[in-house]
Amino acid sequence: MNNFDYARASDVAEAVRLKAATPEAKFIAGGTNLIDLMKYHVEQPRQLIDISRLPLTNVEETSAGGVRIGALVPNSTLAYHPAIESRYPLLASAILAGASAQLRNMASTGGNLLQRTRCAYFYDVATPCNKRTPGAGCSAIDGLNRGHAILGTSADCIATHPSDMCVALAALDATVHVAGASGGRVIAFADFHRLPGDRPDLDNTLHADEIITAIELPPKGFAANYSYLKIRDRLSYAFALVSVAAALELDGGRIREARLALGGVAHKPWRNETAESALRGQVPDRGAFGRAADILLHDAKAYAHNAFKLPLARRAIVRTLTQAASATPQIQSIKSIR
């Protein structure tokens, strides 16, 4: 562990001021990812700004009929909150599919958005990694890339985003509220995480002095027809090879609205609105679901060890949409796939 300075912020304004004064500083709340990165010497912050005692722990109704979630709400609290369980069960299910109970108790909602990739080369400081050291090269492209991305990759990075919660937030059209030295702003979830391009070291569109204060959900939660399916090597405490968040609104035996987002396949939660549009007006059957999957995966590109992800993702999309349509969502406490 390297030496670092420590400061505790008493409010959001002080947190922003401290970060603006030391852009290389890192915010710490639950620390479930940052501490690991510091132990592996991937992150060596000059200063840690403790934000764990900021008043960002409420889950409250918005005037628009949605829900605003404070950035420091623990993942476990959010998953079992009555408003989330009843109105946004897709989000609750995705959270419970991730990590362990102990980690969910510590992890914060805002921190979940800032998780860094679990690419083994990123964690191994003895190997080149553009995401860790820009311009160094990518060891994964010609290396062991079984768990890596098949969509939205670049010549500089094929790492995946690890979060389950973010896949559901993408499907639900969440927004991210942030505060910075120049004031506050709201970022659409689709614009929050970045594709790697030639700057894979940048995971998101936050400015250096900004802090996440809340995540807001719109009124529509798709509580009747949804499912979150996570395919992984172990039945618990493993990151997704492929995950799918599906939500449908049905009307008279046809699909009125569809949401579809994938995890474990790209540098960010992957959502394709063309595939969603293809489902609207269709009878919810395997034929329609398969056509949507083909649209979503049209530009997918496999590498030496992850070609299996293409048929796996297609089958997972069809299965998850079938579960959503039949109102029999995947239950995370039952580890076998329904």
Side-chain angles (χ1 to χ4, degrees), residues 98-127:
S100 63
Q102 292 90 339
L103 285 169
R104 292 194 296 268
N105 286 340
M106 286 298 297
S108 66
T109 300
N112 199 309
L113 273 60
L114 302 179
Q115 287 187 77
R116 307 214 68 189
T117 182
R118 261 59 180 186
C119 172
Y121 297 106
F122 175 71
Y123 276 78
D124 182 358
V125 296
T127 63

Side-chain angles (χ1 to χ4, degrees), residues 51-201:
I51 58 171
S52 63
R53 300 187 186 183
L54 299 187
L56 302 173
T57 56
N58 290 333
V59 178
E60 53 195 2
E61 300 285 334
T62 68
S63 58
V67 171
R68 181 184 171 102
I69 303 160
L72 294 179
V73 175
N75 284 185
S76 53
T77 300
L78 185 61
Y80 294 113
H81 192 282
I84 302 303
E85 283 189 308
S86 62
R87 295 173 55 190
Y88 306 95
L90 174 61
L91 177 57
S93 181
I95 294 171
L96 294 176
S100 63
Q102 292 90 339
L103 285 169
R104 292 194 296 268
N105 286 340
M106 286 298 297
S108 66
T109 300
N112 199 309
L113 273 60
L114 302 179
Q115 287 187 77
R116 307 214 68 189
T117 182
R118 261 59 180 186
C119 172
Y121 297 106
F122 175 71
Y123 276 78
D124 182 358
V125 296
T127 63
C129 173
N130 287 322
K131 194 169 188 60
R132 178 171 18 86
T133 308
C138 176
S139 300
I141 288 179
D142 295 318
L144 297 174
N145 45 41
R146 180 174 178 274
H148 288 71
I150 57 175
L151 288 161
T153 59
S154 76
D156 290 320
C157 184
I158 59 172
T160 58
H161 191 269
S163 171
D164 291 290
M165 188 183 85
C166 289
V167 182
L169 290 174
L172 290 170
D173 258 349
T175 54
V176 185
H177 292 244
V178 306
S182 58
R185 65 186 177 117
V186 180
I187 308 171
F189 205 81
D191 298 328
F192 184 81
H193 295 102
R194 295 180 70 259
L195 289 178
D198 60 358
R199 290 297 307 272
D201 54 310

Side-chain angles (χ1 to χ4, degrees), residues 279 285-296 314 317-318 321:
L279 287 167
D285 59 20
R286 293 178 65 85
F289 299 156
R291 290 190 292 276
D294 290 339
I295 293 171
L296 193 151
R314 189 181 191 281
I317 291 168
V318 172
L321 285 167

